[in-house]
Amino acid sequence: MKPADLAARPVRMRLPRLLAGLLTLTGASLGAIEVIKVPGAEDLHEPFSLAFDAQGDGYGVEFQPANRIFKLHGGKIEYISGVKWDSAPKGMLPPVPAKRLDLAPAVYDGMHDISIGPDGSIYASDSFQHRIIRLDPRTRVATVFAGTGKAGFAGDGGPADQAKFNIPMCGAIDPAGKFMLVADLVNNRVRRIDLATKVVTTLAGNGKKGLPKDGDDALDAPMGDVRACCVAKDGTIYALLRGGHALAAIKDGKVTVVVNKAGKPGPATDGPAAEARMLGPKYVTMDAKGDVLILDTENHCLRLYDPAKQTIRTIVGNGRKGSAVGADWASTQLNRPHGARIGPDGRLYVTDTENNRILVGPAP
């Protein structure tokens, strides 16, 4: 099995053992909405993203209040990489003797995403240091996978670790485990890194802000504030445009805006996706059915875009910021969520960022 995107691949592991382990984490039944409360969870600070490996272990990243990579395994959360420090206040520096860009021990700043490669490699977007790091799952040694640590746009056609990025937000691996897509936020581009050759290229975006027009050539189109991206099994790339409050689909070198063609901010309502509004969406991933999950962060909810029906609906949250955990997803409140993933147990995991917690419950 390719562990790169378990949300879009069948599970081929010993589920009885896996389910028992995950249920132990929450003390939950499969139908309940639960907060993961295990040793280590009390120290969780603004979790941004979560991914699973082939063994069913979860890995996640924290944002600026702590800047660590954590592992969800064996009934506990373990912090496996990253000097703990609050990098949010202006002028803050890591605790001495640590320095920015250090790798041993690793110093991160503003991580946004995590993904698992086909060989089990752990990739994390160290966004505010303009790089993507690779963490060895066995030794936990951190190395630079992409980016020089300096902001810029350069390096297409060459090795990723010599290329320049400008706040690479999210790095999603395709279902076949062949390449990584990078949402290069300030460069307003979607870039591709071949996992075998490590060569980087640009797939979409002309470097300008704005909303693309349907039918635009991908490389000539604006990809304003591209915040996250993912790949469907049919090869369609979905790019989430934070500044345009929209979702664009890229296929055969052409771009189509599929959610919020007007690009106007607004509340979350169900119905035709082209007419829908979003408000500062931050993350996108595929589910096991081929639908697209969108974290509509400033509307405090998770939404599902159905490409076949071209409709969108809210599946978690009610659009109001809060911390209530209800009997179902609709009555459960979120506070600026930034990540979601279908786990290897078939359930939905949501990183409820500013509530400092991870929620788990039935998949849609």
Side-chain angles (χ1 to χ4, degrees):
M1 180 179 68
K2 303 292 187 183
D5 187 356
L6 283 170
R9 297 188 67 79
V11 177
R12 297 172 185 167
M13 58 184 74
R14 293 184 179 179
L15 278 178
R17 176 174 63 84
L18 177 65
L19 288 171
L22 288 172
L23 290 175
T24 298
L25 295 177
T26 62
S29 66
L30 283 174
I33 309 300
E34 293 287 333
V35 179
I36 292 180
K37 294 181 179 179
V38 296
E42 72 283 353
D43 195 33
L44 192 63
H45 296 275
E46 295 193 7
F48 254 48
S49 185
L50 187 70
F52 293 90
D53 67 12
Q55 287 72 47
D57 293 330
Y59 293 87
V61 294
E62 298 175 303
F63 193 51
Q64 285 188 300
N67 293 299
R68 297 173 295 180
I69 298 174
F70 62 87
K71 181 178 182 179
L72 181 61
H73 168 77
K76 65 180 180 180
I77 289 178
E78 179 185 3
Y79 298 89
I80 63 173
S81 183
V83 172
K84 183 180 181 182
W85 70 299
D86 185 353
S87 60
K90 187 176 181 180
M92 284 295 292
L93 295 173
V96 176
K99 304 183 299 298
R100 285 183 172 274
L101 299 174
D102 278 356
L103 291 171
V107 175
Y108 307 125
D109 186 5
M111 287 185 290
H112 278 75
D113 197 16
I114 193 164
S115 56
I116 311 297
D119 62 350
S121 294
I122 301 160
Y123 297 96
S125 300
D126 188 15
S127 302
F128 294 161
Q129 296 190 124
H130 314 290
R131 65 182 184 174
I132 296 170
I133 65 97
R134 176 191 178 272
L135 194 67
D136 186 287
R138 292 168 294 278
T139 66
R140 299 179 181 175
V141 170
T143 54
V144 175
F145 174 69
T148 64
K150 295 182 179 180
F153 175 70
D156 273 7
D161 62 356
Q162 296 177 31
K164 287 187 177 181
F165 298 79
N166 198 339
I167 309 187
M169 284 289 194
C170 295
I173 296 176
D174 78 297
K178 300 294 185 182
F179 61 87
M180 176 187 289
L181 288 180
V182 179
D184 197 356
L185 180 79
V186 180
N187 285 325
N188 301 298
R189 290 177 168 96
V190 176
R191 302 174 79 180
R192 178 189 189 274
I193 303 173
D194 187 292
L195 293 182
T197 66
K198 310 297 190 296
V199 170
V200 60
T201 53
T202 296
L203 292 183
N206 60 9
K208 298 178 181 178
K209 288 183 175 290
L211 200 65
K213 296 179 180 178
D214 289 354
D216 277 354
D217 289 336
L219 289 170
D220 295 330
M223 285 280 150
D225 295 328
V226 57
R227 179 59 175 73
C229 45
C230 63
V231 191
K233 287 182 179 180
D234 68 356
T236 301
I237 296 169
Y238 291 100
L240 194 63
L241 308 179
R242 183 184 66 181
H245 315 282
L247 181 70
I250 304 164
K251 186 73 179 292
D252 299 325
K254 300 292 184 179
V255 182
T256 304
V257 175
V258 293
V259 178
N260 195 5
K261 288 185 181 296
K264 296 180 179 178
T269 55
D270 295 352
E275 301 170 10
R277 300 288 186 262
M278 293 194 287
L279 186 61
K282 301 294 195 294
Y283 195 72
V284 64
T285 190
M286 304 299 300
D287 75 3
K289 300 175 183 178
D291 295 324
V292 185
L293 304 182
I294 304 170
L295 272 300
D296 195 355
T297 301
E298 308 308 333
N299 277 324
H300 309 289
C301 64
L302 174 63
R303 304 172 75 182
L304 183 149
Y305 166 65
D306 184 329
K309 297 179 181 178
Q310 298 182 25
T311 57
I312 191 169
R313 59 188 175 93
T314 298
I315 58 172
V316 180
N318 56 15
R320 294 187 297 274
K321 178 172 67 175
S323 60
V325 178
D328 55 20
W329 284 122
S331 56
T332 296
Q333 293 180 313
L334 305 176
N335 188 352
R336 302 194 71 239
H338 281 76
R341 193 81 67 170
I342 304 298
D345 58 349
R347 295 195 294 167
L348 173 64
Y349 291 74
V350 179
T351 50
D352 188 11
T353 303
E354 294 199 359
N355 281 323
N356 300 305
R357 66 188 184 182
I358 301 169
L359 300 173
V360 58

